Amino acid sequence: MTRRLLPRFVRKRYAVKFALALGLVTLAIAAVGGYSYLHANEVIGEETRDGLVTNAEIQAQNLDEWLTRMEVQMRSISESAAFQSGDDRDINLYLWSVVERDRDIDAAYYIDTRNETVLTSTGSASVASAESVTTYYGRQEFTALAQQSHGDVVISDPFRPSEGAAPVLLFATTIPERPNRAVIAVANLRDISETHLHDINAGRFVVVDAAGTVVLAEDESRLLETDALETTRYDSASGFVPGQSLGDSKTEVGFARMEAHDWVVTSRVPTGEAYALRTDILTQILATLFVVGAGAALLAATIGRDTVDAVRTLGSSARELTDGNLDVAIDRDREDEFGDLYEAFDVMRVSLRDQILDAERAREEAESARREAWDEKEASERRRRHLERTAEAYGEVMRACADGDLAERIDPDEESEAMAEVARSFNEMMADVQERNEQLRTVSNVLSHDLRNPLNVAVGRAELLADETESDHVEPLVESLDRIDAIIDDALVLALQRRVEDTLPVALSDVARRSWTHVDTGGATLVVDENPRFAADPDLAAHVFENLFRNSVEHGSTGSRIPSDDAVEHGSTGNRTVSGDAVEHDSTGSRIPSDDAVEHGSTGNRTVSGDAVEHDSTGSRIPSDDAVEHGDDGVTVTVGALGDARGFYVEDDGPGIPESDRASVLEPGYTTNRAGGGTGFGLPIVLQVADAHGWDLTLCESASGGARFELSDVERVGRDTDDAASLV
């Protein structure tokens, strides 16, 4: 569109367009400069007015704060303890401290408003004497004003107390609870002007009262003079008064009324100084236009002409390249930027030719790579699907093995060597596990049948030997054989390598009491606190309680059972009791005492006959006086529910297990009572049975300092039975 607006002879000639562009740029800069000046003039005017008004408002706020502070100070002085006491000496000292402390107060007076007399005074004599201050303002008028304040602070008009004295301002208030007494503070307006009027650039602050009298000014000579600017111009709370003739020049004035007193604060700057920036901007714009015009003419005469020639040459070469002539000769003799451009064109020509050849080769290679990538993607997808199927098959076999089918095996994957190695390793591991499992079954059979049968025969022979011969070696022999029997029982339980799948509801009280009758408890006492029902294998649960009870009895009591000459009582885990006459054997090789030798309790334990043992109604063994002697301090074993933890506990009031040994006592074979027949398998059996049920076993200390075993995460079934806490 722009080209159509230009005449043809302009469009076809770069030199004409170059000159036209320079002219347009010069005109545009001039237009922008003019607009900038007008805009800057407006902005500077607004900023100047706003700045003057803002300065006046800030200064008025500062003076309001000063007057407020003075009023608070006067109330504080009148309410001080010195004035309340009425002692002239204390009042004089207090007024002296006030004048010394507050630089805005030059003198202070304590007056009698009824007699119009000064009772005491202090401060600078250069400001005014007590008589001149009160006399000038008028004793009657000022004292009347003080009397009318009624606790408020009154401010006098500014005045000079005497010829040549500094202009002052009086603050007065009455003394509470002291009729006809008032305090007056004198402020030096010259000092107040220097302290509270802040300088502004190229301007001054002037404060006038309602009558137009200058109250505060940085120029001391203007104090108490009538201001040249009429107070009628201050027609609002704040504003701006432009171009006022004040003295020899015009002045821009911003004003703001004070809230604490009827004064007006003005901020005054000479007009020439206020708008000095506007003149500087105009001068700079004109200088810029002159420089731009001269530069444009020089540019057209030198660089413009040379640029036109270079553009023509480059245009001709570019057209050759466009036509496909990549062998066109390009002049490279110039040493300026156009020479660099010529060289760039030549390099571009050679590079373009090489790139066309490279692009052809790259296109062929990219097409080949694309085909290979697509083939690899398809192969990768096939491998992924195959690995997923293989992993699923492996998982099924592993789950079957975990469920107990140790004969299952994995078919090695022929496509993945890593997966095949996993399969081979797993098959080897499961073969080893199956072999060890078979070995464990063989060992269990040997322990439960092949080894126990000869052991029963040896026990029977030892019992017969005890009947026929009185020897000190018989009893240790029987005890050793009993210990071997107990070790076999423990080993069979430790050989349990399965998880409990089938469970029955078991009552805590029932299994605890039944297990208690199977243990040689001596003088120990069993306490059952609660009777919840939980899911467990009853036989394995009995092993837990029997071993925990045996541990408490063996390690918790300081008194022990002392066998008598007539009989010895053993628990049901393979312990046997010798009677007088004979032992019979059943068809399995187990020893069954004859009718004359042994009576059997309802729990199946063998006990001494005759006068040795009596039985209670539950089948629990109650040793008679002739059979067993009890210690005086048997251990108390307590069984109860854990409550929210879903489990139960077994604890005693014995010496407990040291914290340093609590990890060791759960290791197979560890015992501190090996001399007394301990096998070191009791607590490991408890741990293994708990693991088989999925319970958590915790060993800690009971409230009495004894051992406490907690089995948590136990599945509760049904409702608790009605059996309450009981003692056995």
Side-chain angles (χ1 to χ4, degrees), residues 193-194 197 205-207 214-220 222-223:
S193 297
E194 294 178 358
L197 294 184
F205 285 112
V206 176
V207 181
V214 176
V215 179
L216 299 175
E218 296 176 82
D219 184 359
E220 181 183 354
R222 301 192 61 182
L223 292 175

Side-chain angles (χ1 to χ4, degrees), residues 4 9 13 151 238 244 386 389 402 436 440 561 575 692 708 713:
R4 294 179 181 178
F9 78 93
R13 291 173 175 81
S238 63
Q244 297 299 305
H386 176 73
R389 290 192 296 270
R436 291 182 181 275
L440 187 57
R561 285 187 163 189
N575 297 331
R708 178 182 173 97
D713 202 18

Side-chain angles (χ1 to χ4, degrees), residues 674-692:
R674 195 172 302 280
T679 64
F681 294 133
L683 294 182
I685 287 175
V686 174
L687 177 61
Q688 183 159 335
V689 172
D691 290 340

Side-chain angles (χ1 to χ4, degrees), residues 106-125:
D106 279 28
Y109 306 96
Y110 180 46
I111 66 173
D112 183 340
T113 57
R114 182 177 58 185
N115 299 327
E116 301 175 5
T117 58
V118 176
L119 301 178
T120 183
S121 64
T122 184
S124 174

Side-chain angles (χ1 to χ4, degrees), residues 463-464 467 579-584 592-594 596-598:
E463 292 174 348
L464 292 175
D467 295 338
S579 69
D581 298 329
V583 175
E584 296 179 357
I592 304 174
S594 65
D596 295 335
V598 179

Side-chain angles (χ1 to χ4, degrees), residues 431-449:
D432 184 59
V433 170
Q434 190 174 19
E435 181 180 356
R436 291 182 181 275
N437 196 50
E438 293 298 330
Q439 293 175 354
L440 187 57
R441 290 196 184 97
T442 301
V443 172
S444 299
N445 291 331
V446 170
L447 290 175
S448 61
H449 299 289

